[in-house]
Amino acid sequence: VPCGSGPWPARSGSATSVRVEAPGKVNLFLSVGAPGPDGYHPLTTVFQAVRLIETITARRQSAQALGEITLALEEPDDAVPTDASNLAVRAAHILAEATGVSEGVDLLVRKRVPVAGGMAGGSADAAAALVACNALWGTGLGTGELMSLASRLGADVPFPLLGSTAVGHGRGDMVTPLMARGTYQWVFALHHRGLSTPEVFARFDEMGAGRGGPQEVSEAMTVALRSGSPQALAACLHNDLQAAALDLRPELADVIAVAEAAGALRAIVSGSGPTVAALVADAAGAQRVARALMSSGLCAEALRADAPVAGARVVG
Ligand code: ATP
């Protein structure tokens, strides 16, 4: 960008604001092992980035306000903190600390991923904040360095940096891209009342479900993703946490049944729930399933989204 031209400031080559988009996710496969001595469950998961997109705009502050990291929501929501506990604020802090930046930033967040639905919206915000501040501050960290900061922020933060379809190991934070063809259509059934992730893992343990290490991604899943066939993918969707989530919230089984009766290829609990993810064959199927879910009275909202989509990227 030429210095002092157009909307850019005279400051050498640096913008006054940077806008970044990052996606929410669905887990196509989730296998959970027995917890280790640190209490964490080792897992193998396949993430797919869905077109429910968080947008973060990072704005440079006036010289008088140096050093503050602030956050505002485009549409205020009581369920989302705007203080230092917000994952995007923590992301900006961790980047500033790692790079020795003393400059502040004002973050503006537009949320489209449902809050506390097991779709990692907060993690997408953190990934977007890392990319936005890295560009705004000119800190120039590469993907590997951003990934390592991301995994310190949370197990689900590295994936939205990568986007598309990827396999996660460790706590889900060690991500590797997976070859996938085609576009998949999803309908997400949302619920007013969230499910606590630790509570679902505790029930998983009580049910004696996690023995030994997590399973690897099945050959059938990798073949299905390479084929681009939603029917083939539907047949190998898998979530080890589903039994525990259904045990805590039996009505989720009815949500799955409604989606499948309306023509979904398959419906499963997304991550630790309570969101139910229904894979459909096409746009007409998506409409039928969304209608059936809404008229069942079993869910608060039915959101349609296609996948996969790109990871966190600068859009303005
Ligand atoms: P989890 O990673 O626990 O599965 P989730 O994907 O179900 O999370 P999120 O919307 O990411 O749900 O966040 C869950 C909680 O984290 C929120 O209820 C909120 O209190 C807190 N939180 C912190 N930062 C954010 C953020 N930027 N957006 C949304 N929630 C946030």
Side-chain angles (χ1 to χ4, degrees):
V1 177
C3 200
S5 72
W8 306 94
R11 196 189 284 241
S12 61
S14 54
T16 53
S17 76
V18 175
R19 199 166 82 247
V20 172
E21 292 184 350
K25 58 86 180 166
V26 60
N27 299 81
L28 307 179
F29 176 87
L30 180 56
S31 175
V32 182
D38 59 358
Y40 280 109
H41 292 78
L43 50 90
T44 303
T45 187
V46 176
F47 296 111
Q48 189 168 67
V50 302
R51 202 181 300 283
L52 294 174
I53 305 289
E54 303 283 278
T55 308
I56 288 207
T57 306
R59 284 205 175 83
R60 200 179 291 287
Q61 296 169 331
S62 64
Q64 292 77 31
L66 281 186
E68 284 279 321
I69 293 170
T70 75
L71 180 138
L73 296 169
E74 216 174 81
E75 292 146 30
D77 180 339
D78 289 345
V80 180
T82 54
D83 61 8
S85 69
N86 190 294
L87 217 47
V89 175
R90 292 183 46 214
H93 272 296
I94 211 172
L95 176 67
E97 221 174 80
T99 56
V101 163
S102 56
E103 204 176 323
V105 65
D106 294 327
L107 301 171
L108 178 66
V109 186
R110 176 186 193 238
K111 292 199 68 74
R112 288 296 176 266
V113 176
V115 175
M119 298 188 74
S123 299
D125 296 344
L130 285 175
V131 171
C133 293
N134 192 39
L136 187 78
W137 292 335
T139 37
L141 295 195
T143 310
E145 291 161 307
L146 290 178
M147 282 282 178
S148 107
L149 292 182
S151 68
R152 283 168 54 196
L153 288 161
D156 281 349
V157 182
F159 174 68
L161 283 176
L162 202 59
S164 304
T165 307
V167 60
H169 288 111
R171 288 185 290 137
D173 56 328
M174 292 155 62
V175 286
T176 317
L178 267 185
M179 158 72 182
R181 252 188 213 100
T183 300
Y184 300 90
Q185 308 287 328
W186 293 94
V187 179
F188 298 103
L190 314 186
H191 299 86
H192 286 302
R193 214 155 37 92
L195 257 178
S196 142
T197 303
E199 205 184 325
V200 175
F201 273 101
R203 183 57 57 94
F204 175 84
D205 291 338
E206 282 162 20
M207 293 168 86
R211 291 184 206 91
Q215 300 291 303
E216 247 328 294
V217 179
S218 68
E219 180 71 11
M221 167 71 74
T222 37
V223 170
L225 286 169
R226 283 195 189 131
S227 77
S229 154
Q231 287 77 8
L233 181 62
C236 38
L237 294 174
H238 175 80
N239 182 1
D240 265 358
L241 292 178
Q242 177 158 314
L246 293 184
D247 196 59
L248 289 166
R249 199 68 75 73
E251 62 270 28
L252 293 181
D254 302 329
V255 176
I256 291 172
V258 166
E260 292 184 345
L265 300 171
R266 193 71 197 289
I268 61 165
V269 169
S270 172
S272 60
T275 298
V276 168
L279 182 62
V280 294
D282 49 33
Q287 197 165 23
R288 272 198 309 278
V289 169
R291 273 212 201 105
L293 285 168
M294 285 317 291
S295 56
S296 73
L298 288 168
C299 60
E301 204 179 341
L303 284 183
R304 294 167 51 177
D306 67 308
V309 296
R313 66 204 173 101
V314 175
V315 293

